[in-house]
Amino acid sequence: SQELEQSPQSLIVQEGKNLTINCTSSKTLYGLYWYKQKYGEGLIFLMMLQKGGEEKSHEKITAKLDEKKQQSSLHITASQPSHAGIYLCGAPGGSNYKLTFGKGTLLTVNP
Amino acid sequence: NAGVTQTPKFRILKIGQSMTLQCTQDMNHNYMYWYRQDPGMGLKLIYYSVGAGITDKGEVPNGYNVSRSTTEDFPLRLELAAPSQTSVYFCASRVGGSTDTQYFGPGTRLTVL
């Protein structure tokens, strides 16, 4: 079965700093979802990547999918306290019906 | 559209009690899912459904049951609650296909004492 490993597990940054979160798959990635979760709330969809080398941006968040390396990265530029939360990556497993998720990266942004 | 709604938001159960977690989506999505989220453990799939009348087990189905009589509703039943079922439960739905997005409900926080 597919496993997704996220790194780092947690991250504390000063407001205004850039940061990167990685998601590495045990198998070839055919698609990759990024979600954000605030404490006590549901998961908010950020973006989905499908093709190797694909890159998408939304406001100050950029995600890339490197299919050859079985890895995706999420980069936040000039972080703000509103970026704080748990970031999770998810990917289709053997069946397209189901997504496998990483354990998440807890991001804290200090003002 | 309300998206994916879940009730209740919070619940405390005693060991051995039963309850049903409700999930409804108004997006006419074929696929629906139930996950549980434990601290530091990510999301674990409990059950999923690819359409009305069709359900299947996920990674951690023991102690749970589901039904899918309509496209909109996908209730999760806990029989004989145990402390190990203390968790946050999320329902999700998606259209299905290579370009779709999976949408999550706000979650139900369940404590079994």
Side-chain angles (χ1 to χ4, degrees):
Chain A
S1 61
Q2 183 176 42
E3 294 185 358
L4 297 176
E5 184 172 342
Q6 288 187 234
S7 61
Q9 290 184 331
S10 63
L11 188 58
I12 301 174
V13 300
Q14 204 66 28
E15 183 176 359
K17 296 295 184 183
N18 302 335
L19 63 105
T20 299
I21 297 168
N22 293 306
C23 176
T24 302
S25 173
S26 59
K27 297 184 178 182
T28 301
L29 286 166
Y30 294 103
L32 195 288
Y33 296 75
W34 281 103
Y35 288 87
K36 178 188 174 185
Q37 182 182 26
K38 293 222 167 201
Y39 179 76
E41 300 179 12
L43 281 72
I44 305 300
F45 171 76
L46 294 176
M47 55 192 88
M48 180 182 70
L49 306 166
Q50 285 189 283
K51 300 177 183 177
E54 185 176 8
E55 179 176 321
K56 288 186 177 179
S57 293
H58 176 67
E59 297 180 343
K60 294 184 178 180
I61 300 176
T62 299
K64 300 179 184 179
L65 176 60
D66 183 346
E67 198 164 348
K68 291 183 179 180
K69 293 184 178 180
Q70 301 181 187
Q71 186 177 56
S72 176
S73 61
L74 185 83
H75 184 76
I76 298 178
T77 303
S79 59
Q80 301 170 353
S82 61
H83 288 128
I86 300 172
Y87 289 82
L88 292 101
C89 62
S95 163
N96 192 42
Y97 300 151
K98 298 179 285 186
L99 295 184
T100 297
F101 286 88
K103 294 183 179 181
T105 295
L106 175 61
L107 172 63
T108 303
V109 181
N110 290 326
Chain B
N1 287 349
V4 181
T5 58
Q6 291 182 237
T7 58
K9 289 189 177 181
F10 304 93
R11 184 72 184 267
I12 298 175
L13 284 181
K14 293 182 179 179
I15 295 173
Q17 287 185 320
S18 300
M19 76 164 294
T20 299
L21 280 66
Q22 301 292 345
C23 175
T24 301
Q25 54 93 6
D26 62 358
M27 297 173 283
N28 201 33
H29 286 173
N30 294 320
Y31 298 176
M32 295 188 74
Y33 306 84
W34 274 107
Y35 296 89
R36 59 177 289 172
Q37 185 180 39
D38 301 307
M41 298 301 293
L43 291 166
K44 298 292 184 183
L45 182 65
I46 304 171
Y47 270 96
Y48 68 100
S49 168
V50 300
I54 306 170
T55 62
D56 207 348
K57 297 177 181 179
E59 301 173 74
V60 289
N62 292 342
Y64 308 93
N65 276 301
V66 294
S67 60
R68 184 94 181 272
S69 57
T70 67
T71 300
E72 296 78 19
D73 300 308
F74 190 41
L76 178 72
R77 178 80 177 166
L78 278 71
E79 303 283 0
L80 299 174
S84 60
Q85 293 178 305
T86 294
S87 188
V88 181
Y89 291 85
F90 289 101
C91 180
S93 74
R94 58 195 281 240
V95 173
S98 61
T99 60
D100 66 335
T101 298
Q102 186 160 314
Y103 296 94
F104 284 80
T108 294
R109 186 173 295 273
L110 175 68
T111 302
V112 182
L113 300 174

